[in-house]
Amino acid sequence: MRVFLSDRDVALALCLDADWQPDRVTGFSPDANGALVAVAGGQCEGVSIPCDDPVDEPFSSYFNGLSGEVKSFPGAFGPVFAPVSDSSEPAEFTVHARAVEACVARDTARILSRPTAFNTPVNRAGLLMRARSFVRAEKSDERVPVSVRRGFRRGAVQQESRALPYARYFDVEDVHLRHPRFDGGMSPVIERTVLRAADAVTVLPYDPIRDQVVVVEQFRPAAYVRGDCHPWVLEPVAGRCDGDEPVEEVARREMIEEAGLTLLGLEKIANYYPSPGCLTEYLFTFLGLVDLSDAQSGVHGVASEDEDIQTHILSFDEAMALVASGEADNGPLLLSLYWLGANRERLRREASAA
């Protein structure tokens, strides 16, 4: 028996040292994630290697996450095991999707090389979110300039080892590496632990006609674990980029879910790392233009996600008083309110002229 994958990079991510050979499965086409869909006259090109029966790790966990079933089909070199799609329709397995799946496959192999009670069974949903963030970060040359920085690039870092001892909704990565120093040499091998979280969006709702903002209040476990006496935190609306939709669509979705508001427009504030010394999270922060004429403070959130979110409608002056008093102690909220203070007159002028 052999194991078949419809993308070589995904295959190499799962098993780098294997001798993957070109192969094909007739009568099938890939779906959007590379699993097989039965199609009359279809032909799925891919690669295969010999495998055990039943399929062993890391293929078993990767296939189980990718599809609901693994079956045997005729391949060019004999029978192959391959994942069968949950969908009945084929789809384009895009370059972007292949890159995301390669990241998921690489993390799956890394987890199963050192399984623990805290990283297995493999949580595909969590790995997918972080894979999409990784692929988004690979395109940072397109949007992040390098003018003051020395210009060191990711490829100059020498990676010694990486491990994922904890992998659930978030995960923890231990990495040993060397990096270029500003004196021209290389650092010694250093060990760092990083909390991996997917990219996220924050939106501060603002009605420029009424000069009112909306802040949300919710329990935050990190504040609780730190020991904060008041672990219910004031924030902008926020949500994870857990799919492939544009960040603007994430903003629209979260505004409805967390505040019951419809966006009329978006103003970009900034894109940034809140704490790059230990956290991969990257934030896309916006101000959202809304109509608060009929809005009321209330409780919102998605019940299936255990969200319990209280909205507060405040005048601009009331919101800035929170900054002065220190009650506003959330980074994205502070940044958004300071930005609003600098752009408020323009926004109100534009709204009055509309």
Side-chain angles (χ1 to χ4, degrees):
M1 293 295 297
R2 301 176 71 86
V3 62
F4 175 90
L5 286 151
S6 54
D7 183 83
R8 175 175 286 276
D9 288 339
V10 173
L12 289 170
L14 282 169
C15 194
L16 179 62
D17 298 328
D19 184 20
W20 291 96
Q21 296 295 316
D23 205 339
R24 74 179 65 87
V25 177
T26 302
F28 292 86
S29 294
D31 69 1
N33 299 314
L36 300 188
V37 180
V39 176
Q43 183 166 281
C44 184
E45 301 288 341
V47 293
S48 70
I49 55 170
C51 72
D52 294 331
D53 185 2
V55 179
D56 56 4
E57 299 290 14
F59 306 108
S60 178
S61 289
Y62 178 73
F63 285 172
N64 288 339
L66 188 65
S67 71
E69 193 174 9
V70 178
K71 289 186 176 180
S72 173
F73 306 100
F77 302 102
V80 298
F81 285 120
V84 179
S85 176
D86 295 327
S87 173
S88 60
E89 296 293 332
E92 182 183 3
F93 191 20
T94 65
V95 172
H96 171 80
R98 291 169 187 263
V100 168
E101 285 300 327
C103 289
V104 173
R106 189 174 302 111
D107 281 346
T108 299
R110 189 176 297 148
I111 287 169
L112 293 169
S113 69
R114 297 181 184 178
T116 73
F118 306 105
N119 63 13
T120 54
V122 174
N123 180 357
R124 176 176 169 83
L127 296 184
L128 262 177
M129 283 197 299
R130 290 180 285 281
R132 290 173 177 132
S133 297
F134 185 91
V135 172
R136 191 180 294 114
E138 286 187 309
K139 299 177 181 178
S140 57
D141 271 351
E142 301 172 6
R143 66 173 187 275
V144 180
V146 177
S147 58
V148 172
R149 289 181 282 184
R150 286 280 294 272
F152 293 135
R153 298 184 65 84
R154 176 184 175 82
V157 178
Q158 297 177 5
Q159 177 180 302
E160 301 289 330
S161 67
R162 296 173 72 172
L164 284 167
Y166 182 98
R168 292 180 178 170
Y169 183 80
F170 299 113
D171 59 33
V172 174
E173 178 162 342
D174 292 327
V175 59
H176 292 76
L177 54 79
R178 304 175 68 215
H179 65 78
R181 296 173 54 90
F182 293 117
D183 62 8
M186 290 292 290
S187 74
V189 175
I190 57 177
E191 178 183 0
R192 294 292 183 265
T193 298
V194 177
L195 175 64
R196 300 200 319 177
D199 296 349
V201 169
T202 76
V203 195
L204 180 67
Y206 176 62
D207 183 333
I209 299 296
R210 289 160 188 80
D211 199 25
Q212 293 177 318
V213 302
V214 177
V215 298
V216 303
E217 176 185 357
Q218 61 182 314
F219 174 78
R220 286 308 200 187
Y224 172 79
V225 170
R226 178 177 176 266
D228 199 311
C229 296
H230 303 283
W232 279 259
V233 180
L234 296 176
E235 305 174 336
V237 169
R240 293 279 162 207
C241 300
D242 53 9
D244 283 324
E245 72 268 46
V247 293
E248 294 81 5
E249 289 305 311
V250 178
R252 295 182 190 279
R253 181 190 73 216
E254 294 297 332
M255 284 282 280
I256 294 172
E257 291 181 1
E258 294 198 354
L261 296 172
T262 300
L263 272 177
L264 303 178
L266 274 176
E267 294 273 338
K268 177 184 173 181
I269 295 178
N271 306 332
Y272 56 98
Y273 290 101
S275 188
C278 61
L279 179 64
T280 66
E281 181 180 66
Y282 192 79
L283 297 182
F284 299 86
T285 291
F286 297 95
L287 183 122
L289 300 175
V290 295
D291 179 1
L292 297 177
S293 59
D294 297 321
Q296 294 182 341
S297 296
V299 177
H300 302 271
V302 179
S304 63
E305 298 177 7
D306 297 317
E307 291 182 333
D308 181 46
I309 300 170
Q310 171 73 55
T311 59
H312 300 279
I313 300 175
L314 307 172
S315 69
F316 173 77
D317 289 339
E318 289 172 329
M320 295 309 292
L322 297 174
V323 176
S325 72
E327 186 172 357
D329 59 357
N330 168 272
L333 178 59
L334 290 168
L335 174 62
S336 299
L337 287 173
Y338 281 129
W339 184 93
L340 176 57
N343 291 271
R344 173 174 168 242
E345 292 305 318
R346 171 181 65 84
L347 294 172
R348 299 201 73 195
R349 186 171 59 250
E350 292 173 355
S352 297

